[in-house]
Amino acid sequence: MTARVRKDYQQARWNEPVIYELSLPGARGVLVPMPDGEVQAKAGDVLGRLPKGMRRAELPNLPELSQKHVLSHYLHLSQETLGSNITNDISEGTCTMKYNPRINEVLVGDPRFAELHPDQDEDTVQGILEIYHRFSQIIKEISGMDEVTFQPGGGNHAVYTAASVVRAYWAARGQLEQRNEIITTIFSHPCDAAAPATAGFKVITLYPDKQGIPDIEALKAAVSEHTAAIFMTNPEDIGIFNPRVDDFVRIVHEAGGLCFYDQANANAFLGVARAREAGFDMCHFNVHKTFGTPHGGEGPANGAFCCANELAPFLPVPRVVYDGKKYHLDYDKPQSIGKVRDFMGTAGVILKAYAWTMMMGAEGLRETADVSVINNNYMLAKMEGIRGLDYAFRGNGIRRQEQVRYTWEPLKNDTGVGTDDVNNRIADYGIEHYWTSHHPWVIPEPMTLEPCETYSIDDLDEYVEVIRTISEEAYADPAFVKAAPHRAASHRRNDDASLDDPAKWAVTWRAHVKKTRK
Amino acid sequence: MTKKLGLIVNPFAGMGGRVGLKGSDGADTLQKALALGARPEAPRRAVEALSMLQDLKGALEIVAYPHEMGEDEARQAGFEPTVVGSIDRGHTMPEDTVRAAQDLMRLGVDLLLFVGGDGTARNVHDAVGDRVPALGVPAGVKIHSAVYATTPRAAGDLAKMVMEERVGAFHDAEVMDIDEDAFREGRVSSRLYGYLRVPADTGHVQNMKSGRAAGDEAALAAIAEHVIEAMEAHPDDLFIVGPGTTTRAIMDRLGLQGTLLGVDLVEGLRLVGSDVGERDLLERSQGRRSHVVVTVIGGQGYIFGRGNQQISPRVLAQVGLQSLMVVATRQKIASLRGGPLLVDTGDAEMDRRLSGYARVITGFHDEIVYRVEA
């Protein structure tokens, strides 16, 4: 079968103004009638009841539009996106963009869940507490850890929770001043450096050895009586699993430090390997990635932070506990780091993840890992021979896991077409931009792809064919590829430099007006 | 407005390499290379770089010196260059490069694209300093200077981005001075010659997941903050600050007039010596706690033995290696492509002691443990 490649793809291009620019003074979406006399009399002076400090002196600066124009504005914008569920999103390496069953959206939309309020008495929310409890049992089994909290609002937040727990642990021992360094690796998720830094630790980063595995000799040189912990991802962002991870844990433990395993994306090892057996004291999962709940568009996300009994006293409160008859929220944890988020975290994500996990079953989780690794290696094999394309640490004899960090460096040297150009061109085939890598680019001209278990062989073949086609285009007519995209909604940023200039960039209309007015 | 690209080709750059002469500096060497059958490398590379600018034709004015110094290459790449100056055809000298760079700067070019090697970069530096953005197309035998793009095409691509105003930042890159006579005898003797303003390739499409990488300025400020914290913690210690723009950021943040290419001394946040030599360093650090702050020089990974020979093995032995602070941005470490940091102090025993793993300060309370080899 020939892979489908959408050569005649053409995205809508509306050149849509900012909604403020569409404003027509006096236009209204909804005309609310004045209440009749009786209601007015009963209500009295409504505004007068507002505290003075909360009353506006002037009307807010909102755009004025009819309902129809608001609707068409946002429909235009939606047609100019290339997101999940509309495109082949193998592109988003490290993001685990698997397909998420629609039935779970029905579940969270059910009023029996959707209309719960986190301030309700715990007697009236026993159902969702039970789901928290049950899902925590599942996560404990998957990680091998003793305790878990779902309070963090995402992966980075869970890693920050880990850093806070490490800080509380050393403070409780009176050694925080001495144990002030956290070690990480260059291909770990950047939050493994950023979260400890935010929690006040010094960050020590290890580079890889020639095989692309974190340099164990560098670790030996790095550990000392100052080591508070190591925060490491595995498999790392380049898709290589560190086979000596237990040695890393041993070296850090021997130096007196704690070990945190970043398992944001667990797709490669569900049911295969556990943090506990590798010797770790803590780990986390991005529930919204591995466990079949949608992400992107800034959420909602959830980070499950797991730890061994020794660290459990420091977990955030409240804890969901079960006394054999009823579920309770337990705030009585004097050594707790406190709350890291309001209430109980993102309950909707937990409900969807619980439903997904129950649908999959234990064997299904293991199959998820197997298929995602097979998909990735199938795609890697098909990518072989595409001119100008290579991948990081080729020939190191280590099988790639769930993703690969490719490099367009040969193409760049041959034609001047680099990864940013290919990335612009890929949109012309109806495929969303791919993930290059974090900065700085340790692997030059990077492209990181992650074909999860939910992609069909057609999806994989389509992706490879598009990549092959763009490579051929680059060799035949580099200027054409460098001028891409040609068929996408938005062309190019007209002023790249301004994104680096705080005097110019603006993320709100108010900031834009303020910065352009002067 | 039409953009102006200044083009300078050193036609003889790279000729010594193919015939094993390790460079083309000096009239004698050049004659020898020609006698050995060397062919010009630079013109081909110039055309290759210019080919990247094809679709700007009409919107771009190329200004060049006559004949083989740029005119011919521009025409071969399909451009109609504006030709200025005059040369003695077939007998161009380093002075021609200097003159050309001066003339092109006066004509207000937006970028000086020069094709050559370390010697060419020094000539351009002599002529324009940091007054006009410049970028090298690599054609020399050995290139120790960081002002060159990795390939001619990469240079052309970056030049195109400058012409399209898609380059957001320019940064100072090292021009190195290698003694070619010594180099031919198997010794590397080099010093930091100066800096050119080169365009930084920051036009990457960023995935919002990572946010935008901090610019060079922010990274340098963070490194400076880290070192200054140590200076504040040890007000009675002597800080020996090596050459380079990374270390200059420390002096700038302290409001001190350091020397860019020399070694300076700081004590209690005050400048207590500038552009000092080995003898001074030995005297001043005698019997007191001292710290050595150095950066990666020359884009190849050297932390000792290139551009900072004043901080000699004797100085290092006296102050002790535990006091060493190596500073570099993450971008600079990434540009080593996994290659090690290098030391070449001239003393095998000191090189051995420096080898192994070093902590490189890459930001505030942010370090990378990195391999060091002799």
Side-chain angles (χ1 to χ4, degrees):
Chain A
M1 198 193 85
T2 320
R4 56 165 196 252
V5 173
R6 294 181 166 85
K7 290 199 168 168
D8 291 325
Y9 170 81
Q10 175 65 60
Q11 191 171 25
R13 187 183 294 179
W14 289 99
N15 199 18
E16 188 70 9
V18 173
I19 195 163
Y20 277 90
E21 295 170 325
L22 293 171
S23 182
L24 286 172
R28 288 291 178 273
V30 181
L31 295 173
V32 185
M34 285 300 285
D36 61 31
E38 193 186 345
V39 175
Q40 280 193 41
K42 271 211 161 162
D45 179 11
V46 179
L47 287 180
R49 291 185 198 158
L50 278 178
K52 227 177 183 175
M54 290 179 71
R55 282 181 236 165
R56 286 181 182 277
E58 293 166 33
L59 287 174
N61 177 27
L62 295 173
E64 298 172 81
L65 281 90
S66 72
Q67 232 178 55
K68 179 184 184 300
H69 287 121
V70 172
L71 185 63
S72 61
H73 172 71
Y74 286 107
L75 284 172
H76 292 168
L77 291 182
S78 75
Q79 290 182 352
E80 294 189 311
T81 64
L82 273 178
S84 214
N85 295 334
I86 195 170
T87 81
N88 187 335
D89 51 3
I90 286 171
S91 286
E92 292 298 318
T94 81
C95 285
T96 322
M97 302 302 291
K98 61 179 67 180
Y99 177 71
N100 309 126
R102 294 300 93 184
I103 183 75
N104 292 344
E105 300 302 321
V106 177
L107 274 183
V108 291
D110 188 308
R112 285 172 293 175
F113 171 76
E115 291 184 6
L116 295 179
H117 192 282
D119 271 341
Q120 276 176 240
D121 188 276
E122 62 189 34
D123 280 347
T124 67
V125 289
Q126 286 289 304
I128 186 65
L129 291 184
E130 181 179 352
I131 284 168
Y132 264 74
H133 183 74
R134 282 168 173 254
F135 191 53
S136 69
Q137 301 305 109
I138 290 172
I139 291 292
K140 285 184 205 172
E141 186 60 33
I142 289 172
S143 63
M145 291 293 162
D146 301 318
E147 293 293 340
V148 56
T149 175
F150 298 123
Q151 205 176 86
N156 295 345
H157 200 185
V159 180
Y160 180 70
T161 304
S164 303
V165 165
V166 170
R167 189 173 53 192
Y169 173 87
W170 288 116
R173 274 158 186 70
Q175 292 182 56
L176 186 56
E177 218 164 295
Q178 175 202 325
R179 298 271 178 188
N180 61 357
E181 292 182 352
I182 285 184
I183 299 168
T184 185
T185 72
I186 194 79
F187 292 128
S188 282
H189 298 139
C191 63
D192 294 333
T198 307
F201 289 98
K202 294 182 180 175
V203 177
I204 316 296
T205 304
L206 309 180
Y207 251 62
D209 63 16
K210 284 177 181 140
Q211 278 194 301
I213 293 168
D215 187 343
I216 198 161
E217 297 304 319
L219 176 67
K220 289 176 189 166
V223 292
S224 71
E225 69 279 11
H226 297 297
T227 305
I230 189 169
F231 278 39
M232 60 185 289
T233 305
N234 197 22
E236 293 195 302
D237 254 4
I238 52 175
I240 295 176
F241 185 86
N242 178 353
R244 300 187 67 179
V245 62
D246 45 351
D247 289 329
F248 273 66
V249 169
R250 183 179 48 75
I251 290 165
V252 174
H253 278 163
E254 281 172 7
L258 296 167
C259 296
F260 168 76
Y261 216 10
D262 179 329
Q263 306 201 307
N265 172 359
N267 235 36
F269 56 82
L270 277 179
V272 180
R274 307 200 306 175
R276 167 56 60 107
E277 278 72 35
F280 283 88
D281 308 297
M282 301 161 273
C283 72
H284 94 286
F285 299 99
N286 284 21
V287 177
H288 54 280
K289 285 185 177 176
T290 307
F291 298 95
T293 75
H295 68 304
E298 306 302 313
N302 186 276
F305 172 73
C306 318
C307 65
N309 275 330
E310 197 183 5
L311 295 166
F314 307 104
L315 285 170
V317 285
R319 313 272 309 126
V320 178
V321 291
Y322 183 53
D323 64 9
K325 288 185 207 138
K326 254 180 67 177
Y327 298 92
H328 303 279
L329 294 175
D330 181 6
Y331 285 86
D332 186 20
K333 299 282 174 191
Q335 286 189 288
S336 164
I337 59 170
K339 276 177 168 293
V340 295
R341 191 188 167 93
D342 282 344
F343 304 118
M344 296 293 299
T346 39
V349 177
I350 300 302
L351 177 57
K352 283 189 264 191
Y354 176 71
W356 182 84
T357 310
M358 293 303 285
M359 281 192 277
M360 297 298 282
E363 302 77 19
L365 296 184
R366 168 73 197 229
E367 201 180 346
T368 292
D370 289 345
V371 176
S372 67
V373 173
I374 290 168
N375 270 1
N376 185 44
N377 281 282
Y378 169 83
M379 201 161 100
L380 177 60
K382 285 209 82 166
M383 290 281 197
E384 288 280 358
I386 293 182
R387 209 170 154 206
L389 184 66
D390 203 348
Y391 61 99
F393 303 103
R394 170 199 285 279
N396 65 355
I398 301 173
R399 187 183 296 287
R400 297 304 183 266
Q401 298 290 312
E402 83 294 5
Q403 61 195 21
V404 175
R405 179 147 300 158
Y406 296 90
T407 168
W408 284 110
E409 192 181 28
L411 182 76
K412 175 92 175 177
N413 289 339
D414 290 348
T415 67
V417 173
T419 193
D420 287 339
D421 305 310
V422 176
N423 216 356
N424 283 330
R425 178 64 178 151
I426 203 166
D428 287 338
Y429 292 96
I431 290 180
E432 70 177 291
H433 299 296
Y434 56 76
W435 168 237
T436 52
S437 87
H438 299 286
H439 274 239
W441 288 349
V442 176
I443 305 301
E445 303 300 326
M447 169 174 81
T448 310
L449 307 178
E450 184 187 4
C452 297
E453 77 281 4
T454 56
Y455 298 107
S456 70
I457 196 163
D458 283 357
D459 296 329
L460 302 172
D461 288 347
E462 176 194 16
Y463 208 97
V464 174
E465 277 316 300
V466 168
I467 292 292
R468 187 192 314 282
T469 306
I470 296 173
S471 157
E472 286 163 4
E473 290 171 343
Y475 279 99
D477 188 355
F480 176 75
V481 178
K482 286 185 84 71
H486 303 283
R487 290 170 167 271
S490 65
H491 195 61
R492 280 167 171 264
R493 292 194 293 254
N494 51 11
D495 184 8
D496 258 343
S498 62
L499 284 180
D500 275 337
D501 183 356
K504 285 187 183 168
W505 53 252
V507 292
T508 64
W509 178 254
R510 191 152 62 165
H512 166 70
V513 170
K514 205 167 151 191
K515 287 177 180 180
T516 50
R517 206 176 267 162
K518 51 178 170 172
Chain B
M1 212 178 79
T2 310
K3 289 277 171 188
K4 274 190 198 171
L5 177 71
L7 175 68
I8 299 174
V9 179
N10 171 6
F12 297 123
M15 285 184 63
R18 291 289 166 87
V19 290
L21 288 178
K22 300 184 180 172
S24 318
D25 287 2
D28 289 353
T29 309
L30 193 54
Q31 286 310 317
K32 207 187 276 183
L34 287 167
L36 286 167
R39 313 272 317 153
E41 285 288 316
R44 189 178 54 78
R45 290 173 181 250
V47 174
E48 206 177 329
L50 291 176
S51 70
M52 300 303 294
L53 294 136
Q54 289 294 346
D55 50 337
L56 291 186
K57 232 175 260 179
L60 169 70
E61 181 187 0
I62 293 186
V63 190
Y65 250 43
H67 312 302
E68 68 267 29
M69 274 196 74
E71 179 192 357
D72 295 351
E73 290 83 356
R75 289 194 195 286
Q76 215 182 316
F79 290 91
E80 282 298 325
T82 306
V83 182
V84 296
S86 63
I87 59 167
D88 181 5
R89 215 168 164 172
H91 298 93
T92 52
M93 304 290 286
E95 295 73 42
D96 292 302
T97 302
V98 175
R99 208 154 35 82
Q102 283 166 343
D103 287 350
L104 296 180
M105 177 175 65
R106 265 196 294 274
L107 289 168
V109 296
D110 297 287
L111 177 75
L112 256 183
L113 189 70
F114 60 93
V115 189
D118 284 322
T120 318
R122 287 196 296 276
N123 297 149
V124 172
H125 179 269
D126 287 344
V128 305
D130 58 2
R131 282 166 291 168
V132 61
L135 176 66
V137 178
V141 173
K142 77 252 153 269
I143 291 188
H144 294 89
S145 303
V147 296
Y148 285 92
T150 48
T151 63
R153 281 173 187 274
D157 195 35
L158 198 47
K160 180 166 182 257
M161 285 173 68
V162 175
M163 295 299 114
E164 293 172 334
E165 295 185 8
R166 288 197 290 121
V167 166
F170 292 82
H171 63 88
D172 294 328
E174 294 96 341
V175 176
M176 298 301 287
D177 185 8
I178 305 285
D179 180 343
E180 281 197 359
D181 288 333
F183 189 61
R184 281 187 202 98
E185 289 161 19
R187 290 180 291 117
V188 178
S189 168
S190 73
R191 66 190 183 90
L192 183 56
Y193 193 79
Y195 288 85
L196 285 175
R197 297 286 291 162
V198 304
D201 186 2
T202 56
H204 294 136
V205 177
Q206 275 283 325
N207 189 313
M208 291 311 287
K209 181 175 166 183
S210 70
R212 238 182 136 67
D216 238 19
E217 299 273 307
L220 290 173
I223 290 169
E225 209 49 58
H226 183 102
V227 175
I228 290 168
E229 186 190 54
M231 289 174 167
E232 285 170 341
H234 307 285
D236 299 327
D237 291 7
L238 184 71
F239 284 80
I240 300 168
V241 182
T245 47
T246 314
T247 47
R248 181 178 63 181
I250 302 166
M251 308 303 265
D252 285 352
R253 212 161 172 83
L254 287 171
L256 303 178
Q257 279 290 329
T259 48
L260 180 57
L261 307 179
V263 175
D264 302 322
L265 300 176
V266 176
E267 182 189 316
L269 305 184
R270 289 190 319 275
L271 188 68
V272 295
S274 61
D275 205 8
V276 295
E278 181 194 16
R279 185 198 299 237
D280 262 351
L281 286 172
L282 285 168
E283 274 173 24
R284 303 285 290 270
S285 63
Q286 176 88 49
R288 58 184 303 199
R289 226 161 69 153
S290 310
H291 309 256
V292 171
V293 186
V294 291
T295 187
V296 181
I297 292 281
Q300 292 180 323
Y302 280 97
I303 51 173
F304 285 110
R306 296 288 182 278
N308 57 10
Q309 282 90 337
Q310 305 94 314
I311 309 172
S312 68
R314 286 176 64 197
V315 173
L316 287 170
Q318 182 166 304
V319 303
L321 300 188
Q322 73 291 342
S323 67
L324 186 58
M325 299 176 95
V326 181
V327 296
T329 61
R330 281 176 170 252
Q331 188 68 52
K332 202 157 192 175
I333 295 297
S335 73
L336 299 175
R337 310 288 310 268
L341 292 173
L342 299 169
V343 289
D344 181 16
T345 61
D347 175 348
E349 171 58 17
M350 181 51 72
D351 287 351
R352 194 191 56 73
R353 285 178 59 196
L354 286 165
S355 298
Y357 288 88
R359 284 190 174 205
V360 181
I361 296 158
T362 49
F364 183 71
H365 290 183
D366 190 50
E367 300 177 338
I368 284 177
V369 177
Y370 206 82
R371 207 154 39 88
V372 182
E373 289 179 8

